[in-house]
Structure formats: C-alpha cells, structure tokens
Amino acid sequence: MARAMAFLWTCALILVAAGVVVAENIGVNWGVMSSHPLHPSIVVRLLKDNGVKKVKLFDSDSWTVGYFSGTGIEVTLGIPNEQLQNLADDHRAAKDWVKENLTSHLHDGGVNIKYVAVGNEPFLGSYNGSFTKQTFPALKNIQKALNDAGVGNKIKATIPLNADVYQSGSNKPSDGVFRDDIEDLMTQIVRYYNENGCPFTVNIYPFLSLYLNSNFPQDFAFFNGGHPINDKNVQYDNVFDANYDTLVRALKKVGVPDLKIIVGEVGWPTDGHKTATKDNAKKFYDGLFKKLASNKGTPLRPGKMEVYLFGLFDEDMKSIEPGYFERHWGIFYFDGKPKFPMDFSGGGNDKALVAAKGVQYLPNQWCVYEKDAMDQEVLPNQMSWACSHADCSCLQEGASCYNLDNTRRISYAFNSYYQTNDQDVEACKFEGLAKIVTVDPSTQNCKFPIQIVSGGEKRLSFAYIAIAALVSLMSLFILV
Ligand SMILES: *[C@@H]1O[C@H](CO)[C@@H](O)[C@H](O)[C@H]1NC(C)=O
Ligand SMILES: *[C@@H]1O[C@H](CO)[C@@H](O)[C@H](O)[C@H]1NC(C)=O
C-alpha cells in the first residue's frame, strides 16, 4: 500500500514538474492562413508537449488530419463557408464529404473526431447574407450523413457563430434575443440542435468590445471585477460572462434553455493595435484560466465551461479587414515560439509553454533599404507593393514597429516581402533600393523576422520526390 502511494506520488510529482497539465475543458484553434505553415507533425508534437487535448481546425485536409492518428487528441474538423452550398444542395455530397474526410480516419488507432464545424461564422453581419441560405441545409445534410454512417451518436455537427447573431437592446443579458434578420432561422437551428444533441458554438471576443468602442470600460474586458453592471439583481463584472448570458437568454426565449454551449473561439491578440499587447493578452488569459478552473460558469449557467482558445499561431495571411491585430492572435508566434508564460490550469503558476521542436529557419539574412541608392523616386510604390504582398501589420499605429525611424520602416517592409518569398534574391531588388545584409536590423521592440521552411512545402517536395523517383525509374527502363 505504502509503495503504491509512493508510486502515485512520484507520478503526480513528475506530472507537475513537466508542467503540462491543461484543464480538459480548454482546447485550441489551429488556423493555417500563413505563408509558411508549420509542418503538422511539429504542431501535433507541440500540442502534446503542452498537454493540449482538444483542437479545432478550419478545414479537414486529410494529410493534416492524419497526423492526429493515435494521439487521442480530440479533433473538430472544419468545413469552409465556400463549401456549404454544395453540401446544402446535395445530400450525396455530404455523404461523400463524411466518407472521404471523416470516417476514413476512424479506424483503430485513428483520429478521435468529436465535432464537425459546419462553416465559420457564416452569418457574420459583414457577409451581407452570402451564406445565410445554405448553412442550415448543409448542417442537416452533414448530421444525416454522420447518422447514416453510424457515427452520429458520437460525432455532432455544429455551426461556429460569431456573437453578433444575438443582441440585447438594453445591453443587458436579460434582454438577449437573436438578431432580427436571422431570428426565425436561428430558432429553427437551435431547435434542431436540441433534438439532435448538437451543441451551440459561439465565438466571444472581449477584445473587440474594447477595440470597437474606445469608451468601453477597460476593466470590463478583463476578469478583475471592475465596473460591474447590475441586471435584475445579477451582477456582471466582465463582458465575457455578460455576452455568454445574453446567448443563454436568447436560447431560453426560443424554448431551448438547456442547450449545450461551446465557446468556439476566445483570446486576445498581441500586436497591430494599441490595446493588442502581450501585457493585455496575458492579463486576459490569466483571468480566463482562473475563471475556467473555478468551474463557476456564468450567473445564468453555473458550472463547467468548454472553450477553444484563438489561436495557436500568428497567421500572416489573415485578412486585415477587421484590423491589423488579426495576424497576431497566436499564443505562439508564427514559428511556434511561445509569447509569454501561462498557466492553463488557472492556478497562477506561470510556466513557459514548450516551443515547437524541429523548426527549420531560412538563413540569417535580411533585406534592408539602401538609402544611398540613386533612384529614390520609385520608393513609395516599392514600399506599398511590399506591404500589399507581405505582412506590415507591425508598422501600424500602436503596433510594435510603429516607432521605427523612416529608414527602418522601409527596411521592415522590404524584409517582410523578402522573407515571405523565401529569401529569393529577386525579392530583394526593389529597383535597386534594397540590399541583403547578415546583421540583424531588429530593435528592442521591433523584431525583423526570419522566415521558416514551410511545412506546407514538404508536401510538395514529397510529391516531387515521388515524381523524380518515377522519372528516374522510367529512364532506367528506357536505358535497359
Ligand atoms: C474533403 O475536405 C477537403 C478539404 O476541406 C475538400 O477540399 C474536399 O472537397 C472534401 N471532400 C469531399 C468529398 O467533399
Ligand atoms: C457587404 O456590403 C458592403 C456594403 O454594401 C460592402 O462594402 C461589402 O464588400 C459587402 N461584403 C460582402 C462579403 O459581400
């Protein structure tokens, strides 16, 4: 007995020392809108090293999904909005989708798939209704195909929605209702969810409350108890709870008060805007993890919550239409280096996250502006060309490189373009205004990145190797 206890203690100590105890109810979103995505094998290892047990994808690319085989990591597959129409029109398309992208991974030692995310925020106000008609039929076809394949009990379809699908005229949760233009549709969808055991998935962004309204009380965006609002004798001291309970009310009003809710995305960006800083992000995550660990839930939904952080990595190809911060949502940088220490368990014992292993970088060289070059007239065009084809989000007002002097700003833009193009010499020409250097031009606050060898390209090179092998085999035959 004593020996068994000692053994258990040793195990517990090892677990604590490794610092990889992530609460079961926390997952991460892995998006790949990157010029140089990390190889899936590196990402899967990083998730394991950090004890992350749930991941949500925005696609269902088989090659990527295959890397989760045998890991036990719970996977949510994604279907992009553009594919919804096809799946809505034809139930056979949904059957094919499930067969090719889902059941093929369910063999022994395969992938632990839990949800299918049908579309991504398809009812977002700024889409002007482009995906409104096809989403619900696509959801039903996918769930039906799951049922027909005999896995519908275990794997559920759900539509990740932006929190803009509900609203409250008074800004208080108790007045929560679904948005006017989609109220009937939302009512049908949540009733369908209720009958079929599907969860409601909502993305909640306190950062955007602050970003979109400069008068928004800072404290209310975090979890430190400032600026409480009183809603019929219920106190709300943070916008996350208030937002979540607005949904709880909206669900209650249409007759499904107990529908399971998953927070599909929540997080805080670290660059590209004055409130998008590492300090604020850390403050937000500290508060969030503590809240999740307490299992207190919200005033209207006490208990355990399930959330997926957004996101895993910075993504340099994301649209900057919502704001320059869009490319800086990662808890890791683009290359899998952690940004700041965290404690997923909510205990406040910060530990450095484990960085990605086996990442290959391009050589230590940068492209910079040659200010003594002859023809300076072409400069403005060259700089805007660079920025429109690469990532200059760090140069924007309030961002990490905003305070660079003019020469360095231009260098930053040129370098970004050069790195995005795999340090191709041709990508550091800029009509004679640029040169390649081997001394790091970074400043204390502003890092001039070196790109990594893209994990997406490995796929290509594997294909090339296969073709090359075939070609050489064939030439052998010809020779013989
Ligand atoms: C499987 O998923 C991929 C990636 O999203 C998609 O391109 C493909 O069309 C899907 N297969 C079917 C049969 O729908
Ligand atoms: C939605 O409408 C606005 C204003 O009419 C327009 O600027 C925007 O491009 C439209 N968006 C889409 C996705 O169609």
Side-chain angles (χ1 to χ4, degrees), residues 31-39 313-318 327 334-335 362 389-391 415-423 449-458 460:
V32 290
M33 308 273 261
S34 308
S35 62
H36 293 66
L38 287 162
H39 192 278
F313 305 113
D314 287 350
E315 298 170 66
D316 63 350
M317 306 274 279
K318 279 203 86 178
R327 293 175 175 170
F334 71 99
D335 57 354
L362 299 176
H389 291 83
D391 178 26
N415 183 60
S416 182
Y417 183 76
Y418 172 65
Q419 302 292 339
T420 303
N421 287 285
D422 292 316
Q423 299 190 354
I450 292 276
Q451 259 302 350
I452 59 172
V453 176
S454 175
E457 268 166 31
K458 285 236 174 69
L460 258 187

Side-chain angles (χ1 to χ4, degrees), residues 126-128 130:
S126 58
Y127 289 150
N128 303 339
S130 310

Side-chain angles (χ1 to χ4, degrees), residues 58-62 78-80 83 86-87 92-102:
F58 294 91
D59 204 330
S60 51
D61 169 67
S62 265
I79 300 178
Q83 291 177 24
N86 188 32
L87 296 168
R92 274 170 314 181
K95 256 193 146 69
D96 289 346
W97 189 94
V98 164
K99 190 166 169 220
E100 182 175 301
N101 287 325
L102 196 146

Side-chain angles (χ1 to χ4, degrees), residues 22-30 43-44 47-48 51-59 64-65 67-78 102 105-106 110-117 154-156 158 199 201 260-264 304-309 312:
V22 177
E24 278 159 30
N25 51 342
I26 301 176
V28 294
N29 282 277
W30 175 22
V43 177
V44 168
L47 294 173
K48 279 170 46 188
V52 177
K53 297 189 182 69
K54 294 179 185 215
V55 68
K56 179 165 159 279
L57 310 176
F58 294 91
D59 204 330
T64 305
V65 174
Y67 281 91
F68 289 96
S69 294
T71 61
I73 293 174
E74 193 181 288
V75 177
T76 297
L77 299 179
L102 196 146
H105 296 292
L106 294 183
V111 184
N112 178 14
I113 298 168
K114 184 79 185 285
Y115 299 112
V116 178
K154 203 181 133 250
I155 304 175
K156 300 294 184 184
T158 179
T201 304
K260 178 181 163 97
I261 298 172
I262 293 175
V263 178
K304 203 168 185 151
M305 286 180 141
E306 184 171 345
V307 309
Y308 289 80
L309 309 182
L312 195 50

